[in-house]
Amino acid sequence: MDRFKKAGEKEITRAISTSFRDTFEEYIESDVIIVGGGPSGLVAGRELAKEDVKVLLLEANNYLGGGFWLGGYLMNKVTFRDPSQKYLDEIGVPYEEKEDGVYVSDGPHACSQLIASACDAGLQVFNMTKFQDVVLREDNRVGGVVINWTPVDSLPKEVACVDPIGIESKLVIDATGHDAEVVSKLEERGFLETSGQGGMWIEESEDQIIEKTGVLHPGLLITGMAVSETYGVPRMGPTFGSMILSGKRVAEVAINELE
Ligand code: 48H
Ligand code: FE2
């Protein structure tokens, strides 16, 4: 068996540090920043990266995927109503039709394949990175985000008072799901008012999510469950078609806005 190449601690640390520094520096300024790496954020990121948009996705957790690993009630099967299963064909995820127009796929397979296809398309990800606040410009236009490391963000102030940093973009997409964290920052300042998610009603919910996906405030777009939280659209429970198609829609709107 061949021996490993001779390289030790300093070479390994230098490789990590220089590569991270170069990537970080490049993404201090992006066309689009997506906050949240669940299904809607990942699809948005994939679609934007495919069109050569410079796009950065921020995720508070170490892992990507949000709620897409599981269907509901800890059952790891995810569902899609026609026509959203077509996106699974695009990213190469197998599924079966269970009821008329209702498709089921394996959560871990669908989720990991979506993550991989977004990264393959050129999406850049900063994980363990928590969105804290918005950067605001003239007329309260959103011009970027304020971030910190997730573990730093959760330390009590007596332990570490570490200021966050700001990074800039032409557009920000709130894909933080039920938390609607970016939208909340604008609401706290009185720029808009949200309704909170509606009760569960699958048949009504999903078309409304797509209709209301898009620009919410200058510089800010919303996708996924953040749309339900913002406009009071009924929730859809454990089915993911509208998360996928909302991610696709928000990417189209973002590309229009950038032009
Ligand atoms: C960085 C953050 C921050 C922050 C949160 O919850 P998600 O899966 O969101 P969606 O909208 O893509 O999908 C929603 C879906 O999973 C779901 O819950 C459905 C369909 N529910 C229906 C119902 O009736 O309940 O992912 C959001 C991601 C997560 O990975 C978070 O960790 C991340 O955003 N996030 N990232 N900074 N401040 N807050
Ligand atoms: Fe949910």
Side-chain angles (χ1 to χ4, degrees):
M1 209 183 83
D2 287 343
R3 298 267 305 163
F4 281 106
K5 180 122 182 134
K6 218 170 149 26
E9 289 74 15
K10 65 178 184 305
E11 288 80 12
I12 297 297
T13 303
R14 196 177 291 132
I16 297 171
S17 137
T18 54
S19 178
F20 180 80
R21 178 201 62 204
D22 292 347
T23 307
F24 190 75
E25 243 175 61
E26 190 184 339
Y27 284 88
I28 285 172
E29 195 181 355
S30 308
D31 291 326
V32 181
I33 293 174
I34 300 170
V35 186
S40 65
L42 286 168
V43 170
R46 177 174 185 266
E47 295 300 315
L48 288 167
K50 266 169 48 188
E51 296 302 317
D52 291 325
V53 172
K54 187 177 179 186
V55 52
L56 172 67
L57 186 146
L58 306 175
E59 170 53 54
N61 290 325
N62 195 8
Y63 64 92
L64 294 165
F68 200 38
W69 295 100
L70 294 164
Y73 206 65
L74 291 185
M75 297 183 285
N76 69 351
K77 295 288 181 178
V78 285
T79 58
F80 307 85
R81 294 193 298 146
D82 190 40
S84 56
Q85 81 284 357
K86 289 179 189 155
Y87 202 80
L88 300 178
D89 292 326
E90 231 181 272
I91 61 172
V93 174
Y95 55 83
E96 60 173 320
E97 188 168 17
K98 272 289 184 189
E99 307 278 336
D100 189 24
V102 176
Y103 299 84
V104 180
S105 146
D106 204 49
H109 195 167
C111 192
S112 56
Q113 195 82 357
L114 175 57
I115 295 167
S117 72
C119 294
D120 286 348
L123 175 65
Q124 183 62 53
V125 175
F126 289 175
N127 50 344
M128 294 297 275
T129 300
K130 188 130 190 207
F131 162 87
Q132 275 198 344
D133 204 351
V134 285
V135 169
L136 284 178
R137 302 296 192 217
E138 304 81 42
D139 305 321
N140 298 318
R141 183 184 174 87
V142 175
V145 296
V146 178
I147 56 171
N148 215 332
W149 300 117
T150 302
V152 171
D153 184 73
S154 53
L155 284 171
K157 284 219 166 38
E158 309 81 67
V159 177
C161 192
V162 181
D163 270 336
I165 54 168
I167 55 177
E168 299 186 19
S169 61
K170 295 177 186 136
L171 298 173
V172 172
I173 298 177
D174 189 342
T176 59
H178 294 279
D179 301 333
E181 295 241 355
V182 189
V183 175
S184 305
K185 287 291 158 192
L186 297 184
E187 188 170 31
E188 275 171 26
R189 294 187 171 89
F191 301 151
L192 50 86
E193 224 174 285
T194 65
S195 314
Q197 76 180 354
M200 195 183 291
W201 189 3
I202 292 176
E203 279 190 358
E204 261 313 300
S205 166
E206 294 205 281
D207 293 301
Q208 284 191 38
I209 294 280
I210 312 302
E211 273 164 36
K212 295 194 155 62
T213 293
V215 179
L216 177 67
H217 178 93
L220 176 66
L221 291 76
I222 55 173
T223 183
M225 274 317 275
V227 176
S228 165
E229 296 288 341
T230 301
Y231 291 112
V233 169
R235 64 191 298 180
M236 73 299 295
T239 192
F240 288 90
S242 55
M243 299 299 104
I244 300 291
L245 297 185
S246 170
K248 210 172 162 175
R249 176 82 192 120
V250 84
E252 287 163 7
V253 178
I255 285 166
N256 263 334
E257 290 286 304
L258 289 172
E259 282 164 3

